Amino acid sequence: MANSLRGEVLNLYKNLLYLGREYPKGADYFRSRLKAAFLKNKDVKDPEKIKQLIARGEFVIKELEALYFLRKYRALKQRYYSDDNQ
Amino acid sequence: MAALRVLVGVKRVIDYAVKVRVAGGGVQTQGVKHSLNPFCEIALEEGVRLRERGAASDVIAVSVGTRVCQETLRTALAVGADRGVLLEVGEGAAVGPREAAAALAGLVGRLQPHLVLLGKQAIDDDCNQTGQLLAAMLDWPQGTFASRVELEEGAVRVEREVDGGLETLRLRLPAVLTADLRLNEPRYATLPNIMKAKKKPLEIIPASALGVPLPLPRLRVLKLEEPPARGGGQRVQGVPELLERLRSDGRV
């Protein structure tokens, strides 16, 4: 089996779990969703398919980082640059 | 162009997403999430980008505060600073812009950086003074509210956000720059990078050991209170009533 991919999958899970701590809806909400998403694919055996799924997880990481950045940027803009959009 | 040594000041503040509570004459900080000040993140990102472009040789993150600030410095190292320095002050010591600037000036004397990058202000006290004070203490040129930084031979070109437009300055190095919101988009400190950052060097120097005596605090906080709670809305039946209400409140 694709044992070499096992570590990658675990790392992906860890990284996502770490990012989830800041999730706007709460870390618990994120974690349960994350776990469900991983469990759904637990029977996937094909290495190609696993690689695709990992790539998808990495895409989600990028999206989350972008989400957090935008959230912070908007909050700061609203607090300190309120007259900009008038 | 010789590679520059860049010093980046970072401050540990209450996280931007936390609702700040006032209790017992002070802001509640116990058990509240803290993070790196967002404007410092932007300054740090700029420093790291300079190094990635090869313009800077090393990026040193510095913080003034108690030991808990080490956590903030670790985040800075995870984002890409090469080493961290904590200028330690005693528990409960009031560190305002003047104290922080004096401590930073002492460290600048020791490390001889070519460029000091700071956030334009911290989101906790909103002072917006440290960069200016530091530049004055060192007698260096300052570029505040930088929204664009370009290095030139022995100088730096800075675009500043001023009222009603942008101002471009050319500063001879060494110089102090403070970052505005639009300077760049800071990256996220990922888990693998945080793990790697644990191996990076972090030095703790007592602020009093820098040879620059910390000035006696000149500021005294008289009062601290939460903003007034927002009053509820009211429904009106029609336009005449609305106008009447507005008139009685003195709004029109």
Side-chain angles (χ1 to χ4, degrees):
Chain A
M1 225 282 284
N3 251 341
S4 56
L5 291 174
R6 192 183 146 80
E8 271 188 59
V9 173
L10 283 174
N11 267 336
L12 179 68
Y13 188 77
K14 268 189 217 166
N15 289 341
L16 279 164
L17 200 58
Y18 176 79
L19 274 168
R21 299 198 309 185
E22 254 188 81
Y23 198 67
K25 275 188 160 176
D28 291 334
Y29 173 90
F30 185 88
R31 201 176 57 134
S32 58
R33 295 297 193 90
L34 176 66
K35 196 165 179 179
F38 270 71
L39 281 179
K40 198 178 79 188
N41 292 317
K42 71 173 180 159
D43 294 322
V44 176
K45 295 278 190 282
D46 177 17
E48 278 308 307
K49 184 86 175 86
I50 295 176
K51 272 185 196 150
Q52 266 179 30
L53 287 167
I54 291 175
R56 190 166 149 216
E58 266 150 18
F59 172 74
V60 172
I61 289 181
K62 289 270 173 303
E63 290 279 289
L64 280 171
E65 283 174 7
L67 168 75
Y68 296 159
F69 164 72
L70 266 180
R71 205 163 91 97
K72 191 181 280 185
Y73 181 85
R74 289 209 182 113
L76 286 173
K77 198 162 149 70
Q78 206 178 5
R79 281 178 211 172
Y80 293 106
Y81 303 82
S82 54
D83 52 338
D84 272 16
N85 290 327
Q86 282 169 15
Chain B
M1 186 163 54
L4 307 174
R5 194 175 309 125
V6 180
L7 189 68
V8 183
V10 294
K11 184 173 183 184
R12 179 178 185 263
V13 298
I14 294 181
D15 191 75
Y16 81 99
V18 171
K19 179 139 177 48
V20 174
R21 298 255 173 235
V22 176
V27 173
Q28 240 175 9
T29 52
Q30 285 287 318
V32 172
K33 187 183 171 201
H34 283 69
S35 57
L36 186 53
N37 176 36
F39 289 108
C40 298
E41 270 180 359
I42 296 170
L44 178 64
E45 174 72 27
E46 194 62 22
V48 173
R49 285 188 191 183
L50 286 178
R51 198 205 47 220
E52 283 170 351
R53 261 187 271 147
S57 59
D58 56 346
V59 178
I60 308 155
V62 54
S63 191
V64 185
T66 55
R67 296 243 162 176
V68 283
C69 294
Q70 283 181 89
E71 165 206 351
T72 310
L73 282 168
R74 288 282 170 212
T75 316
L77 294 174
V79 171
D82 298 291
R83 58 195 171 106
V85 179
L86 173 64
L87 300 176
E88 196 186 7
V89 296
E91 200 77 47
V95 180
R98 212 160 136 260
E99 293 76 35
L104 289 176
L107 188 70
V108 166
R110 189 182 276 202
L111 295 176
Q112 302 288 330
H114 305 90
L115 191 63
V116 178
L117 290 168
L118 301 170
K120 66 160 182 161
Q121 68 188 66
I123 61 166
D124 51 359
D125 55 17
D126 285 327
C127 278
N128 184 353
Q129 294 165 2
T130 309
Q132 291 87 330
L133 284 167
L134 177 63
M137 284 175 189
L138 296 168
D139 201 14
W140 284 9
Q142 58 177 307
T144 49
F145 311 112
S147 63
R148 205 184 151 125
V149 174
E150 271 173 59
L151 283 175
E152 294 176 0
E153 184 65 45
V156 60
R157 192 177 284 269
V158 187
E159 214 163 79
R160 303 180 59 225
E161 296 208 1
V162 293
D163 284 347
L166 293 169
E167 180 183 66
T168 309
L169 296 177
R170 189 171 176 276
L171 310 174
R172 243 198 313 275
L173 293 176
V176 178
L177 301 182
T178 70
D180 208 331
L181 185 61
R182 280 173 272 255
L183 180 58
N184 56 42
E185 300 175 1
R187 69 194 72 181
Y188 197 84
T190 57
L191 184 59
N193 284 340
I194 287 176
M195 291 302 163
K196 276 180 224 152
K198 290 189 177 166
K199 294 199 186 76
K200 289 188 180 176
L202 203 167
E203 198 182 350
I204 298 176
I205 306 174
S208 52
L210 285 170
V212 182
L214 284 191
L216 289 173
R218 276 194 196 154
L219 294 176
R220 196 152 48 95
V221 177
L222 296 181
K223 203 163 77 176
L224 208 59
E225 56 187 18
E226 290 191 20
R230 187 175 168 274
Q234 288 174 340
R235 276 183 180 275
V236 288
Q237 293 299 325
V239 177
E241 201 192 332
L242 173 68
L243 282 175
E244 197 188 314
R245 286 280 188 84
L246 287 174
R247 225 166 263 140
S248 66
D249 288 349
R251 306 271 181 191
V252 283

